[in-house]
Amino acid sequence: MDVYKITGENRLQGTIKVSGAKNSAVALIPASILANSPVTIGGLPEISDAWTLKALLEEIGGEVSFEDGVMTIDPTEMIALPLPNGNVKKLRASYYLMGAMLGRFKKAVIGLPGGCFLGPRPIDQHIKGFEALGAKVTNEHGAIYLRADELIGAKIFLDVASVGATINIMLAAVLAKGRTVIENAAKEPEIIDVATLLTNMGANIKGAGTSVIRIEGVEELHGTEHTIIPDRIEAATFMIMAAALGEGITIDNVIPLHLEAIIAKLREMGVKIEIDEESIFVPKTDLSSLQAVDVKTLVYPGFPTDIQQPLSVLMSQAFGSSKITDTIYTARFKHIDELRRMNAIARVEGNTAIITGPNKLQGSTVTATDLRAGAALVLAGLLAEGETEIHDIYHIERGYSSLIEKLRDLGADIRRETIMARVAETKE
């Protein structure tokens, strides 16, 4: 098995470039199914989720090339093959294949999604939307079967402002007959990105990025070229790293507007941040003046749940007790036990983590339980005294492209090594 080994306490300096947004990529690639000619998407992160989606599109007859962050998809020969098992299970966002295949073929069979285990991530809002458009949805042998004679526009009110459901209904509705209105829609930048791609393909979508999205169905969609937005979660991870360890780090390829909640919280802690049009500079932070803060995760434009884990590492270096309340995923605190192995003073009470600092972190053997927990452990390893060994790094590589190379360019001592699996079993 492969692990990351990190020797901590190196100061980091230089420029680090943010890749394309993972949470956009996993929706943009399936959206190409709806076109009648080739779609080219540039700036994609070279992460395992993107390669998995490439394989899935090839399984249903697509011709796909992917190199240097550019994916070209020819969907003309695609057919509505069932995808009950295999690659579809590796990927939590495989549910976007439901909306795209239902939109194009009026039927789909998709295995229930995998990905990070953050507790149940229900797809009831997705199904509610598909049914409103006229699809019959059944769960048979662990796969979702979708069938429709035709899709007809409808008014759909989401009980929760779900990003996944908003995008999935959008994918299904762009080729439906008549008008679809999604109320209480999620407002995340990734939704605007997908709507931009679909609009460039010929869809008629108004209101993406607000709580009401209106879609007039069209007869067909054509191919186009699109460049993905930068990954705001990766950018925020690097900003936190720059605050903890930086001697002056420029984070390049960012949209500062997408990072306002994180910038505000870091400034509240005492981190200086200089904003340019497409980059952010974090000068050296005086850790002795870092203050504890309280954070509550919320849907966009609030503080993202995906960043509470990396931020908890910086909180371990701040004076006082910081609190993080996660209102979105209560299972998102598994990293706290791992940080405690590294000498952090932290505990979980219900859906709140309490982290007390400042406290010197010590290198240890830890396990990434999900993608963002893995990012937090990389940050902790870079800060800690001695060597840290991180297991289950496949979680990290689902969402961070070329992470080792990017960190080494700043001066980090991090490498990937293959170790014997039995060593991992005895680590307890």
Side-chain angles (χ1 to χ4, degrees):
M1 59 182 268
D2 283 4
V3 299
Y4 288 164
K5 289 199 173 178
I6 303 169
T7 303
E9 298 190 293
N10 279 17
R11 301 294 296 176
L12 308 182
Q13 191 167 17
T15 298
I16 191 163
K17 187 177 179 192
V18 174
S19 300
K22 166 195 170 284
N23 290 340
S24 267
V26 293
L28 293 170
I29 297 168
S32 66
I33 292 171
L34 294 160
N36 61 11
S37 55
V39 174
T40 299
I41 306 167
L44 285 172
E46 300 215 4
I47 52 176
S48 54
D49 278 9
W51 290 103
T52 302
L53 280 165
K54 174 183 185 285
L56 283 164
L57 295 191
E58 288 169 338
E59 272 182 57
I60 61 170
E63 277 189 35
V64 189
S65 68
F66 186 26
E67 51 189 298
D68 298 328
V70 178
M71 190 178 285
T72 300
I73 301 143
D74 183 347
T76 45
E77 301 296 318
M78 286 181 181
I79 53 171
L81 273 182
L83 295 168
N85 293 307
N87 281 317
V88 89
K89 298 280 194 189
K90 295 180 189 171
L91 183 72
R92 194 170 267 275
S94 55
Y95 50 53
Y96 292 130
L97 294 164
M98 296 179 191
M101 290 179 78
L102 182 64
R104 174 159 169 190
F105 303 114
K106 309 295 175 274
K107 61 179 181 178
V109 178
I110 307 292
L112 283 168
C116 289
F117 185 74
L118 300 171
R121 188 179 294 201
I123 57 167
D124 55 334
Q125 298 298 301
H126 305 232
I127 290 166
K128 173 179 155 173
F130 297 149
E131 288 176 337
L133 295 169
K136 184 169 186 288
V137 185
T138 54
N139 183 348
E140 300 169 30
H141 318 297
I144 302 287
Y145 282 68
L146 306 120
R147 309 173 184 88
D149 295 327
E150 61 176 351
L151 296 174
I152 295 170
K155 193 169 188 176
I156 298 158
F157 183 89
L158 295 178
D159 299 331
V160 286
S162 154
V163 177
T166 302
I167 291 176
N168 229 342
I169 294 165
M170 217 159 59
L171 293 174
V174 284
L175 292 175
K177 287 186 176 158
R179 166 181 277 207
T180 299
V181 180
I182 308 170
E183 295 189 339
N184 194 31
K187 303 173 189 171
E188 270 71 0
E190 294 77 14
I191 292 164
I192 300 171
D193 204 20
V194 175
T196 303
L197 171 72
L198 292 170
T199 302
N200 292 343
M201 288 162 61
N204 183 345
I205 301 170
K206 300 281 187 292
T210 75
S211 58
V212 181
I213 299 176
R214 293 180 173 83
I215 300 163
E216 295 287 348
V218 295
E219 286 289 314
E220 61 177 8
L221 296 177
H222 51 74
T224 188
E225 291 188 3
H226 178 80
T227 302
I228 192 170
I229 58 171
D231 195 313
R232 62 198 170 94
I233 305 302
E234 184 180 348
T237 305
F238 294 155
M239 284 164 64
I240 293 164
M241 178 186 73
L245 292 147
E247 291 288 324
I249 292 178
T250 300
I251 297 131
D252 199 17
N253 189 35
V254 299
I255 300 175
L257 175 70
H258 294 170
L259 296 160
E260 283 186 336
I262 294 127
I263 290 168
K265 200 48 77 172
L266 287 174
R267 282 178 168 160
E268 192 184 325
M269 290 181 82
V271 179
K272 290 187 170 54
I273 294 169
E274 297 169 18
I275 299 169
D276 214 335
E277 279 178 24
E278 292 182 0
S279 67
I280 286 175
F281 178 69
V282 182
K284 182 176 180 178
T285 300
D286 177 6
L287 290 181
S288 67
S289 63
L290 212 57
Q291 295 301 315
V293 290
D294 289 355
V295 172
K296 189 174 189 178
T297 67
L298 294 164
V299 294
Y300 187 85
F303 193 92
T305 173
D306 282 350
I307 284 302
Q308 60 94 341
Q309 291 142 300
L311 189 68
S312 64
V313 178
L314 187 62
M315 288 171 161
S316 75
Q317 305 306 301
F319 280 80
S321 287
S322 295
K323 279 188 193 169
I324 303 177
T325 302
D326 201 323
T327 62
I328 296 169
Y329 293 124
T330 48
R332 255 216 162 124
F333 289 124
K334 293 187 179 142
H335 64 296
I336 294 290
D337 281 343
E338 303 301 306
L339 291 178
R340 285 167 63 171
R341 289 177 196 265
M342 299 179 72
N343 201 38
I345 301 171
R347 66 184 192 279
V348 179
E349 293 179 1
N351 65 345
T352 300
I354 299 152
I355 298 123
T356 303
N359 207 37
K360 183 79 187 151
L361 298 181
Q362 303 292 333
S364 180
T365 298
V366 289
T367 302
T369 51
D370 63 69
L371 167 57
R372 307 302 172 186
L377 295 177
V378 170
L379 291 187
L382 293 169
L383 258 176
E385 187 178 2
E387 185 174 84
T388 297
E389 186 178 291
I390 303 176
H391 291 236
D392 291 356
I393 58 170
Y394 63 88
H395 283 302
I396 302 168
E397 294 179 349
R398 280 189 47 241
Y400 290 88
S401 177
S402 313
L403 183 64
I404 285 186
E405 293 80 357
K406 288 180 182 181
L407 295 181
R408 289 173 78 132
D409 284 349
L410 295 178
D413 185 344
I414 177 170
R415 62 196 185 279
R416 184 189 178 124
E417 275 188 19
T418 303
I419 61 165
M420 297 299 288
R422 67 171 182 271
V423 177
E425 285 159 22
T426 58
K427 80 176 198 302
E428 300 296 333

